[in-house]
């Protein structure tokens, strides 16, 4: 079968499978109605939490200190994407999913034996071939799913063998507690996860390191052998990773090339849609950023940067609650509301990411020429108006510049625009609320929290521009000259705070862009990881989870807070 035909066929299988396993309910279609824009100024609620009361739409009310709606939104938007899960390694989501019939999985080994117990498979052969190591030859197994495989996905760099938090969510499922000292105890981890999942018919567990992998519980259940080939590979003593120990000579270029290609294949899934061979069911998502589910983690995270967030410190009561919710999610048969949450989060990011980035660029401007500053302010105002164009009501009444109503924010006249902008994606969901799972309620709230803050900041910025005569669509007569330089400075701070709060990885890129012989790269395990102290029991498998002789290097800021850089796609390789 030609490649394009195969892709098309698998895509159709995936769609059909999703519809079959998670049917979309249309029972409530007759109740769905367009938004009644004639009642915009009434007190009637148009979503479960959002109404039009003036106190609800105060421009002074930003997110509360321990809010996690932005974190849930971004981590859901990032699921199965290599780039954001490399940037933030410590995952907080556990999501049931399916691997569609016909999907290929790969396993590299030094033995001429198909595994008879739980073992690791890769979703790309470049990854599994790293582990087909022998004395000049190795074995490479290709499997195909004969039915939909039920999997649990742990987000983040959940296959990275480091004690900094990447495996926390797996530990609480397998061992009912985080055990960083067992970071290399992969044999026990896979067996205990598979033992736990057997009751629920789970076939495997999806994780990510250089690329995505599936911890397959049974190589005879739901899969068939496509091929088991004796392939020519590097010698056994040629470690494919770029550095082995401080005193070792550098590996031969071929070894570096294989390590690079394993990592490079992961980059194919850097951005949306990520690795689409794993189809997640967001109606069953379990998030450790859910404050109601894991309240003990709120003080643990307090004051920490996001890359330091982890599950270590969770209470035993919360672990039981998480496992109970996961059990309920896996066992539940109802399909949920039918809302496509994945597409919705991406639609919101698509609409705002580029415009907020452009705004940040326009505001990164300095000039002593007042006319140049005014021209730049007009450009910013135009972009704000473009963002808010669908919500600019014709009957908006702009108060005169010298109007000062005690107790009201100066921009409060724009609150109907703020409300429309913030609720446009969720208003009609009131009809689906009775059908929503608890996971969907969490997703809806995260979307509302995120769009509310985007719209609060941008609407206020736009309203300030209007009241200072910068908007040609809403002309104002001013009694004096506005301080445009101060407005620009305030706007700059507003956008910086908003972008920092949203923290979307789509904004993390190589600047300038990499050349044709380069690729943009984030420091990745195991290439750039500091070596943790060896623990017992050691991992003895030769599967993709194995790590041989990682370099004993100190943790650096580059590792802790990964920054993109261009690296070569051709020899000589450098990571």
């Amino acid at each position: 079968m030609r490649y394009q035909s195969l892709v098309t066929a698998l895509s159709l299988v995936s769609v059909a499978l999703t519809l079959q396993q998670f049917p979309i309910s249309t029972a409530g279609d007759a109740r769905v109605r367009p938004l009644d824009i004639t009642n915009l100024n009434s007190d009637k609620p148009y979503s479960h939490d959002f109404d039009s009361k003036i106190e609800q739409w105060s421009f002074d009310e930003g997110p509360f200190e321990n809010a996690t709606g932005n974190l849930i939104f971004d981590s859901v938007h990032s699921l199965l994407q290599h780039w954001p899960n490399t940037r933030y390694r410590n995952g907080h989501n556990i999501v049931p999913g399916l691997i569609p019939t016909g999907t290929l999985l790969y396993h590299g080994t030094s033995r001429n034996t198909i595994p008879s117990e739980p073992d690791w498979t890769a979703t790309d052969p470049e990854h599994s071939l790293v582990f087909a190591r022998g004395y000049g030859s190795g074995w490479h197994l290709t499997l195909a799913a004969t039915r939909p495989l039920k999997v649990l996905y742990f987000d983040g760099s959940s296959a990275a063998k480091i004690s900094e938090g990447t495996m926390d969510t797996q530990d609480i499922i397998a061992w009912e507690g985080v055990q960083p000292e067992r970071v290399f105890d992969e044999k026990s981890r896979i067996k205990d996860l598979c033992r736990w999942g057997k009751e629920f018919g789970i076939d495997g567990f999806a994780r990510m390191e250089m690329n995505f992998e599936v911890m397959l519980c049974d190589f005879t259940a739901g899969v068939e052998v496509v091929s088991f080939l004796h392939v020519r590979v590097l010698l056994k003593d040629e470690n494919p990773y770029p550095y082995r120990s401080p005193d070792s000579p550098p590996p031969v270029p071929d070894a570096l090339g294989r390590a690079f290609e394993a990592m490079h294949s992961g980059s194919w899934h850097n951005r949306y849609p990520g690795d689409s061979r794993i189809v997640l069911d967001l109606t069953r998502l379990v998030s450790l950023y859910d404050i109601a589910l894991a309240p003990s983690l709120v003080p643990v995270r307090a004051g920490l940067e996001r890359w330091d967030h982890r599950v270590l410190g969770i209470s035993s009561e919360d672990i039981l609650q998480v496992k109970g919710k996961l059990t309920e999610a896996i066992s539940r048969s109802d399909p949920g509301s039918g809302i496509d949450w994945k597409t919705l989060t991406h639609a919101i990011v698509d609409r705002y990411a580029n415009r907020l980035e452009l705004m940040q660029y326009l505001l990164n401007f300095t000039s002593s020429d007042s006319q140049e500053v005014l021209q730049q302010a007009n450009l910013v105002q135009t972009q704000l108006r473009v963002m808010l164009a669908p919500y600019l009501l014709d009957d908006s009444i702009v108060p005169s510049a010298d109007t000062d109503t005690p107790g009201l924010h100066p921009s409060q006249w724009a609150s109907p625009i703020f409300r429309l902008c913030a609720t446009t994606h969720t208003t009609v969901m009131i009809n689906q609320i009775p059908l929503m799972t608890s996971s969907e309620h969490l997703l809806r709230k995260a979307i509302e929290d995120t769009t509310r803050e985007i719209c609060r900041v941008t609407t206020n910025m736009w309203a300030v521009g209007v009241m200072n005569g910068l908007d040609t669509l809403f002309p104002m007569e001013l009694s004096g000259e506005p301080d445009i330089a101060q407005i620009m400075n305030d706007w700059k701070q507003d956008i910086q705070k908003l972008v920092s709060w949203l923290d979307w990885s789509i904004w993390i890129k190589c600047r300038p862009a990499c050349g044709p012989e380069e690729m943009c790269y984030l420091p990745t395990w195991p290439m750039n990881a500091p070596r943790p102290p060896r623990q017992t029991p050691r991992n003895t498998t030769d599967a993709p989870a194995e790590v041989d002789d990682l370099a004993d290097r100190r943790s650096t800021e580059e590792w802790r807070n990964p920054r993109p850089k261009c690296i070569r796609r051709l020899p000589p390789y450098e990571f």
Side-chain angles (χ1 to χ4, degrees), residues 370 373-375 377 468 470 481-489:
S370 60
V373 174
L374 178 59
Q375 290 173 6
N468 284 276
L470 295 174
E481 288 294 323
D483 188 345
I484 302 300
Q486 184 60 50
I487 292 171
M488 288 282 285
N489 186 60

Side-chain angles (χ1 to χ4, degrees), residues 414-572:
S415 61
I417 296 168
F418 170 19
R419 182 172 67 89
L420 279 170
C421 172
T423 62
T424 187
H425 293 287
T426 55
T427 296
V428 295
M429 286 183 186
I430 191 171
N431 300 292
Q432 274 73 44
I433 283 175
L435 303 174
M436 287 183 186
T437 67
S438 59
S439 300
E440 290 184 285
H441 285 294
L442 182 72
L443 292 169
R444 178 183 58 83
K445 184 64 164 57
I447 289 170
E448 288 178 338
D449 288 350
T450 300
T451 55
R452 186 188 192 281
E453 183 62 4
I454 292 171
C455 296
R456 182 185 75 88
V457 173
T458 55
T459 305
N460 182 57
M461 290 171 64
W462 171 81
V464 168
V466 169
M467 291 186 293
N468 284 276
L470 295 174
D471 202 300
T472 55
L473 197 61
F474 290 82
M476 291 285 293
E477 292 186 9
L478 304 179
S479 57
E481 288 294 323
D483 188 345
I484 302 300
Q486 184 60 50
I487 292 171
M488 288 282 285
N489 186 60
D490 292 343
W491 279 351
K492 182 177 181 178
Q493 293 183 42
D494 290 342
I495 286 293
Q496 286 177 339
K497 289 178 183 176
L498 175 61
V499 167
S500 177
W501 184 81
L502 293 171
D503 197 23
W504 294 343
S505 292
I506 195 171
W507 293 317
I508 307 301
K509 60 186 78 172
C510 289
R511 305 172 194 268
C514 302
E517 294 187 3
E518 298 175 317
M519 63 171 285
C520 194
Y521 172 78
L522 280 176
T524 300
W525 186 92
M527 282 75 169
N528 307 99
R531 178 182 175 181
R534 285 219 185 275
Q535 304 291 339
T536 28
R538 285 206 43 210
N539 179 44
T540 56
T541 178
D542 65 353
E546 183 185 16
V547 180
D548 291 335
D549 301 320
L550 289 177
D552 189 7
R553 301 180 297 281
R554 287 192 206 139
S555 180
T556 64
E557 187 63 20
E558 181 190 46
W559 170 252
R560 181 172 173 269
N561 179 16
R563 297 295 181 187
K565 61 182 179 180
C566 294
I567 64 170
R568 289 182 56 80
R569 294 182 58 187
L570 301 171

Side-chain angles (χ1 to χ4, degrees), residues 250-267:
V252 296
D254 210 17
L256 279 176
R258 181 164 295 195
F260 172 82
E261 291 305 333
M263 182 275 300
H264 180 230
S265 64
S267 73

Side-chain angles (χ1 to χ4, degrees), residues 6 10 13 99-105 143-148 222 226:
L6 178 62
L10 288 178
V13 167
I99 295 177
T101 304
T103 302
L104 299 182
L105 298 172
L143 301 169
T146 58
R147 58 168 171 78
V226 175

Side-chain angles (χ1 to χ4, degrees), residues 52 60 66-67 101 122 175 211 227 252 290 322 379 463 485 491 501 511:
S52 59
D60 291 322
N66 293 317
T101 304
W175 302 323
N211 199 337
S227 63
V252 296
D290 182 351
V322 169
L379 290 175
W491 279 351
W501 184 81
R511 305 172 194 268

Side-chain angles (χ1 to χ4, degrees), residues 213-374:
E213 66 178 37
V214 177
M215 305 160 78
L216 196 60
C217 295
D218 188 342
F219 278 60
T220 66
V223 294
E224 63 181 356
V225 175
V226 175
S227 63
F228 191 27
L229 304 177
H230 194 204
V231 294
R232 183 170 299 183
V233 296
L234 300 170
L235 294 176
K236 178 73 174 179
D237 60 352
E238 284 291 355
N239 191 317
Y241 295 110
Y243 302 100
R244 293 171 289 177
S245 71
D247 301 323
S248 297
V252 296
D254 210 17
L256 279 176
R258 181 164 295 195
F260 172 82
E261 291 305 333
M263 182 275 300
H264 180 230
S265 64
S267 73
W268 302 340
H269 317 298
N270 270 351
R271 306 293 188 185
Y272 179 79
D275 196 328
S276 55
R277 291 163 292 190
I278 303 168
V279 182
L280 301 180
D281 182 2
L282 296 184
T283 69
R284 303 165 197 262
L285 171 140
V286 175
S287 177
L288 275 297
Y289 277 129
D290 182 351
I291 294 174
L293 180 66
S296 61
L297 289 178
V298 174
V300 173
R301 288 189 297 262
L304 296 180
E305 298 284 356
R306 183 175 170 186
W307 49 76
D308 292 323
H309 291 180
R310 61 179 301 180
V311 178
L312 181 66
I314 188 173
S315 68
S316 56
E317 294 80 10
D318 285 358
I319 290 175
L320 292 176
Q321 189 164 245
V322 169
K323 292 191 73 172
K325 183 175 178 62
L326 183 59
T327 298
E328 182 272 331
I330 297 169
S331 306
R332 185 174 44 76
S333 59
D334 62 284
S337 68
I339 294 169
D340 187 344
W341 298 101
K342 176 181 177 180
T343 298
L344 179 54
T345 60
H346 285 284
I348 292 167
V349 172
D350 285 345
R351 184 160 199 277
Y352 290 110
N354 185 262
R355 284 172 173 159
L356 291 174
E357 188 175 32
L358 176 59
M359 201 102 59
Q360 199 171 33
Y361 165 78
L362 292 174
L363 289 166
N364 189 22
F365 173 85
T366 55
S367 175
S368 57
D369 187 319
S370 60
Q371 283 304 306
E372 289 183 353
V373 174
L374 178 59

